[in-house]
Amino acid sequence: MGLKERLLQLGEYTGEPCITLLSDSELCAENCRSIKACDENLVVLCMKGQDVRVVGTSLTLENFGAYGVKITGSIHSLTIERHGDQ
Amino acid sequence: MRGLTLGFVEFSGIGGFQESFVSELLDNGVKLKNVKISGGRITGAVSPLSYRLAAVTAKKHGIKLRAGKRGGLYFAALRYSRRAGLYVGLMLFFLILSLGKSTVADIRITGDAPKAQIISILEECGITRGAARNGLKLSLAEQKIMLEANNVAWVDVSCVGCRVLVDVHSGTPAPEIFDPTKPCNIVASRDAAVISSNVRKGKLITEVGSGVQKGGLLVSGTVSDGGGNLLYLHADGEIIGEFTDTEDFFVPYREIVKIANGEKTEYKYLVFCDDIYPLFFGEAYVEDSLYSEQTEKIKLFGAETPFRLITGTFTKYSDVDVTRSDDDCIYELKRLKADFEENFFSEYEIVSAIEKCLPEKEGIRLVVEYTLRGDIAQKQPIEVDLSASLPTDDVMRQSP
């Protein structure tokens, strides 16, 4: 049984995306499924039903909790692209 | 590095599918720090326990991963793991700890009992410094102390850690009781008017309805047998007298009262079985404060553990300037009067209480004139001079 299944059993993982912009240099994204693209100027996170594009400079990535990703650096813009089929 | 408590391994990798590598690590719950991808190069840090998984995942995604700087508790422990002296020291530490806990290191006696006597009783029961904790006869020691020590009302002998605690409390000294075989009179304990009497032994001197002064004879223990001889008896009975008493109560309009509502200082203790471990440094004491204590059980996932947490709270007293209205003063006076009656007149019957409220500049004074009824009998021994009854020739014979 994987981590996701175990968390689902415990009720700790809902799968619903949650994005929190703490400041212009810190963003927290919960329930992130995967990372589509990542470099120091662009991070694309794949979440349920949407992609989150974070554009900035000196972007670094770290994870917290289960499926939680924190992006730090100078964030210039945040774009949410909804998937057409959901 | 913050977030990686055990330690960290910095890594860098080139080539491959770096995003999918990070996604898979994320999916496996591997904690990553400072991941940066630029110019086809990925850098970051992982926990030393997760590095192997990260390396395997990197290989899977075609990344050439290299470990860089490493540090933290894991590597410090690894550095010392081959030092045999550390293991020996650790074993010795636990050995000394277990030896120390298995014998009595200290005996502490609290309370108001003679310590020398208590120590000798404990020694008789085998409770001495250095004695094994397992074989301590604590119940036997308690019983012996109760039987042999003078005037002991309550005793508790317990073993806490390597210390034997003996808490001994003396009983209240018994009131002085006249030997029922010794002759005595009954005199008045205070100025009163005699209301009723019940004399079991002796001769009633004061009639019902008459007044008597403090120390005045009420029942005489010296009676005649009708044949010209005097008998000395132990006079016994109850003499109910009525008497007055005036009490004065005063409550000021303004007063500085000490109330425990100041700064709170908490001291926590961890309790495991009989052992108490303070979770702080120094002494748990705050001057001029009120102490209260709360004990709670420590639960883990809803199940009770053998650990308890004691929270001792010292609340500092602060001076509060209290201003009272007339009604507040009257209410406070009534409360003072009720407390006084409960404390001092509980054994008397209050026939009447005439209250006079006297307002003053600083506050209100309440003067209460009580008329009380109660037993005024007080026993007083009769000093019999036996030499006076000796025949004259005997007295002559004794004199030089």
Side-chain angles (χ1 to χ4, degrees), chain A residues 3-4 32-40 58-64 67-69, chain B residues 2 18-20 22-23 25-39:
Chain A
L3 178 67
K4 195 180 282 180
C32 175
R33 284 179 169 177
S34 64
I35 291 147
K36 278 190 170 175
C38 180
D39 63 31
E40 58 183 344
S58 307
L59 297 179
T60 59
L61 207 127
E62 63 184 72
N63 64 335
F64 66 91
Y67 300 97
V69 175
Chain B
R2 278 178 64 199
Q18 293 168 0
E19 284 86 359
S20 57
V22 175
S23 294
L25 290 181
L26 187 73
D27 206 36
N28 286 320
V30 174
K31 202 158 190 180
L32 296 165
K33 281 273 169 188
N34 298 338
V35 175
K36 200 180 260 185
I37 302 171
S38 73

Side-chain angles (χ1 to χ4, degrees), chain B residues 26-86:
Chain B
L26 187 73
D27 206 36
N28 286 320
V30 174
K31 202 158 190 180
L32 296 165
K33 281 273 169 188
N34 298 338
V35 175
K36 200 180 260 185
I37 302 171
S38 73
R41 182 186 173 88
I42 180 168
T43 55
V46 284
S47 159
L49 302 174
S50 307
Y51 181 73
R52 189 181 161 73
L53 180 65
V56 170
T57 313
K59 199 174 178 184
K60 198 171 136 189
H61 292 276
I63 301 169
K64 287 184 180 174
L65 203 69
R66 290 282 177 273
K69 194 181 163 191
R70 58 198 80 181
L73 189 67
Y74 179 85
F75 294 104
L78 212 63
R79 202 159 47 241
Y80 294 111
S81 64
R82 289 185 185 173
R83 293 197 179 180
L86 267 179

Side-chain angles (χ1 to χ4, degrees), chain B residues 248-259:
Chain B
D248 197 322
F249 306 98
F250 179 75
V251 171
Y253 288 124
R254 280 193 72 177
E255 191 177 11
I256 290 170
V257 181
K258 273 187 181 288
I259 296 175

Side-chain angles (χ1 to χ4, degrees), chain B residues 193-198 208-209 238-241:
Chain B
V194 178
I195 300 297
S196 66
S197 64
N198 176 21
V208 172
E238 283 120 30
I239 310 295
I240 304 300

Side-chain angles (χ1 to χ4, degrees), chain B residues 238-308:
Chain B
E238 283 120 30
I239 310 295
I240 304 300
E242 193 172 283
F243 49 92
T244 56
D245 197 347
T246 306
E247 289 303 328
D248 197 322
F249 306 98
F250 179 75
V251 171
Y253 288 124
R254 280 193 72 177
E255 191 177 11
I256 290 170
V257 181
K258 273 187 181 288
I259 296 175
N261 65 348
E263 188 192 342
K264 287 189 176 180
T265 312
E266 285 190 347
Y267 291 95
K268 289 186 188 290
Y269 302 86
L270 184 71
V271 182
F272 177 67
C273 298
D274 286 341
D275 298 335
I276 301 173
Y277 305 98
L279 303 176
F280 53 86
F281 296 106
E283 194 187 3
Y285 179 70
V286 179
E287 223 174 64
D288 196 27
S289 58
L290 179 76
Y291 181 70
S292 62
E293 203 172 88
Q294 198 180 358
T295 307
E296 56 188 305
K297 288 177 180 170
I298 295 173
K299 287 185 177 179
L300 194 67
F301 302 118
E304 278 185 14
T305 61
F307 293 95
R308 281 175 296 137

Side-chain angles (χ1 to χ4, degrees), chain A residues 4-70:
Chain A
K4 195 180 282 180
E5 285 78 16
R6 259 184 265 172
L7 290 170
L8 275 168
Q9 257 188 3
L10 289 166
E12 293 286 328
Y13 179 76
T14 55
E16 292 303 318
C18 175
I19 303 158
T20 315
L21 190 63
L22 297 166
S23 67
D24 64 350
S25 60
E26 197 172 345
L27 179 139
C28 289
E30 290 172 60
N31 298 326
C32 175
R33 284 179 169 177
S34 64
I35 291 147
K36 278 190 170 175
C38 180
D39 63 31
E40 58 183 344
N41 298 319
L42 171 74
V43 176
V44 182
L45 305 174
C46 178
M47 303 181 89
K48 188 184 175 187
Q50 62 200 27
D51 284 350
V52 178
R53 293 170 68 89
V54 182
V55 177
T57 49
S58 307
L59 297 179
T60 59
L61 207 127
E62 63 184 72
N63 64 335
F64 66 91
Y67 300 97
V69 175
K70 191 160 90 172

